[in-house]
Amino acid sequence: DDKSGAQTNTAWYELAETLYRKGYPTAADDALDNLRGRVPEDIVGDLQLLRANVLMALGRYAEAAGTLEDWRGPRSLAGYAHFNRGIALWRAGNLSAATSSLARVADARAEDGERLGLKDRANLTLGYIALRENHLAQARERFKKVRAEGPYSNRALLAIGLVEQAQGRTD
């Protein structure tokens, strides 16, 4: 019946999550392949994120990005979906779409520490992308948006130094 199918899917999801966290992405992917039918609403978003993480761990970046294209989970996890999709797109070589997805996170309003940290990470990643593409002014602006009191501040400061050096400012 539908209830037992949902319970079975929850069990496959939990097994896949455990396997992924233990460092077995291929086994996690195999477990996810056993999902059939209805997935309980309370794990839909977590399942999308897990599937994308497993695919990225397997080097299947375009598939991972596709998994997160149509976000069906709760709004509270949407930032993670856009961030992970941006990373997957970047690794798949689609810089334009990656930048757009990451900018959704970097430019979003955030108030709690977790979302502020995600926003900092997105700005840091966008800065690295711009730096790599030799868009130095854009890179500097993204690095400057990283909070000075956050966990990514040292990386952002170092990156600003790299931008300054690339611009010939060694003082």
Side-chain angles (χ1 to χ4, degrees), residues 51-131:
R51 188 177 301 274
N53 285 333
V54 166
L55 291 169
M56 283 194 286
L58 296 172
R60 294 162 47 190
Y61 304 115
E63 285 179 71
T67 297
L68 296 171
E69 188 171 2
D70 179 27
W71 178 245
R72 294 182 307 271
R75 283 186 76 171
S76 62
L77 296 177
Y80 295 100
H82 295 302
F83 180 83
N84 286 355
R85 183 168 187 269
I87 297 299
L89 288 163
W90 181 25
R91 291 182 180 161
N94 189 341
L95 251 40
S96 175
T99 300
S100 175
S101 193
L102 289 165
R104 287 183 73 169
V105 179
D107 299 334
R109 290 189 57 196
E111 295 175 14
D112 65 56
E114 190 173 342
R115 284 180 194 29
L116 286 168
L118 187 61
K119 183 174 175 147
D120 285 345
R121 231 173 126 189
N123 274 307
L124 190 66
T125 304
L126 285 166
Y128 284 136
I129 291 171
L131 182 60

